[in-house]
Amino acid sequence: MGDVVKDLAAGTVGGVAQLVVGHPFDTIKVKLQSQPTPLPGQLPKYSGAIDAVKKTIAAEGAGGLYKGMGAPLATVAAFNALLFTVRGQMETLLRSSPGAPLTVNQQFIAGAGAGVAVSFLATPTELIKCRLQAQGASATPAAVAEAGAAVTAAVKYGGPMDVAKQVLRSEGGVRGLYKGLFPTFAREIPGNATMFGVYEALKQYMAGGTDTSGLGRGSLMLAGGLAGGAFWISVYPTDVVKSVIQIDDFKNPKYSGSIDAFKKILKSEGIGGLYKGFGPAMGRSVPANAACFLAYEITKSSLG
């Protein structure tokens, strides 16, 4: 049980570090993913990531970049504790002998197993987060102009708890909170397999062998940041599909499911539509995961 407690504590600290560093990037990513396709002759609401940052701050202040943070902050401890704990237990099962280091391939398997577990926690958390982050982003430029430059789309949700209450009340109860579970699986399983596999491969490369205990903080941050980038490179289109499914209108849905969403995005926007918000996602992933893995390693080491 000692290792479980260490993973729980270290995963919690790592998750908080990741969230504080990365949430503004995530907000911009979701705003870009959720903005509607402009009508012919019209410009999109956001021309890119920098434009989205400027307009968000102008309309909502700097706090707008942290919109929706309540939901993941409330669960980030549980999410990362579960992620690192399941990964740790998978490592125990996969080891050839007690204390033996895992191969890179075994780390891929351990990461995939952790991805299965965290999907059940990530789906409702991200649904709430995406609903809050996307508020206002779905208003078309024409509608905003017609209502006046200072007027944004009507605010539907008052906060994370309000999102949960409305979904439970009018979108099928608990099942409504798990809208987007399939694309979440499609993101978390291969994504975490890639992230943990790449993390271990980079650590072993920099250490010149399987003993990575002597690596410094800079090396851990580099490995963690690049591993986080590898996560998004491997699964980004599934994240776009997840986001549009989770913010889709319940009564008048635009998409019948994940495959339909994928096809419609590809048809109307081309391959680029599946990479909307990719820049902010990568910009977030490298520093956020560098902070996460460093905080995790330092915390676990300090616990003995």
Side-chain angles (χ1 to χ4, degrees):
M1 287 300 293
D3 287 339
V4 173
V5 172
K6 290 176 188 176
D7 281 326
L8 283 168
T12 299
V13 175
V16 172
Q18 181 185 52
L19 186 65
V20 171
V21 172
H23 193 79
F25 294 94
D26 190 63
T27 296
I28 298 305
K29 171 180 73 72
V30 173
K31 283 181 178 288
L32 291 172
Q33 288 177 340
S34 60
Q35 67 174 330
T37 304
L39 297 172
Q42 292 184 346
L43 295 174
K45 182 170 183 179
Y46 306 115
S47 61
I50 301 301
D51 185 49
V53 171
K54 290 178 179 178
K55 288 180 178 176
T56 298
I57 293 176
E60 307 171 51
L65 295 173
Y66 282 91
K67 182 175 285 186
M69 187 172 170
L73 185 60
T75 58
V76 70
F79 181 91
N80 281 275
L82 181 63
L83 177 68
F84 283 98
T85 300
V86 172
R87 179 232 186 179
Q89 292 305 296
M90 289 287 291
E91 286 182 336
T92 301
L93 292 172
L94 293 168
R95 280 193 180 102
S96 57
S97 61
L102 265 65
T103 65
V104 172
N105 286 339
Q106 288 174 323
Q107 286 288 359
F108 272 94
I109 297 170
V116 173
V118 299
S119 293
F120 292 100
L121 184 58
T123 303
T125 300
E126 295 223 348
L127 182 140
I128 292 170
K129 174 181 70 68
C130 287
R131 294 280 179 99
L132 291 171
Q133 289 174 323
Q135 283 194 140
S138 58
T140 63
V144 173
E146 185 178 342
V151 180
T152 58
V155 176
K156 182 177 181 181
Y157 305 111
M161 292 303 297
D162 187 42
V163 178
K165 289 177 182 177
Q166 289 195 42
V167 171
L168 288 170
R169 183 175 61 246
S170 60
E171 297 188 27
V174 174
R175 183 178 179 182
L177 289 174
Y178 277 88
K179 186 178 184 180
L181 179 61
F182 176 75
T184 302
F185 276 135
R187 184 190 73 176
E188 293 295 328
I189 296 172
N192 280 294
T194 300
M195 182 173 70
F196 285 113
V198 168
Y199 181 63
E200 187 62 27
L202 288 171
K203 286 202 302 176
Q204 291 187 16
Y205 175 77
M206 289 186 286
T210 57
D211 182 6
T212 61
S213 60
L215 289 176
R217 294 183 178 184
S219 296
L220 294 174
M221 290 181 69
L222 178 61
L226 293 177
F231 178 107
W232 286 112
I233 290 172
S234 65
V235 298
Y236 194 79
T238 62
D239 184 67
V240 174
V241 171
K242 178 199 70 68
S243 292
V244 299
I245 288 291
Q246 290 187 320
I247 65 170
D248 201 12
D249 187 79
F250 179 72
K251 295 181 180 178
N252 299 293
K254 183 178 180 180
Y255 309 108
S256 62
S258 299
I259 302 301
D260 184 52
F262 179 87
K263 290 179 178 178
K264 286 181 176 176
I265 292 171
L266 198 60
K267 182 178 180 181
S268 64
E269 303 175 58
I271 192 69
L274 294 169
Y275 284 89
K276 289 193 297 187
F278 182 70
M282 290 298 292
R284 163 193 176 274
S285 184
V286 173
N289 281 284
C292 177
F293 277 102
L294 178 62
Y296 170 81
E297 297 280 13
I298 289 176
T299 303
K300 190 169 183 179
S301 177
S302 69
L303 294 174

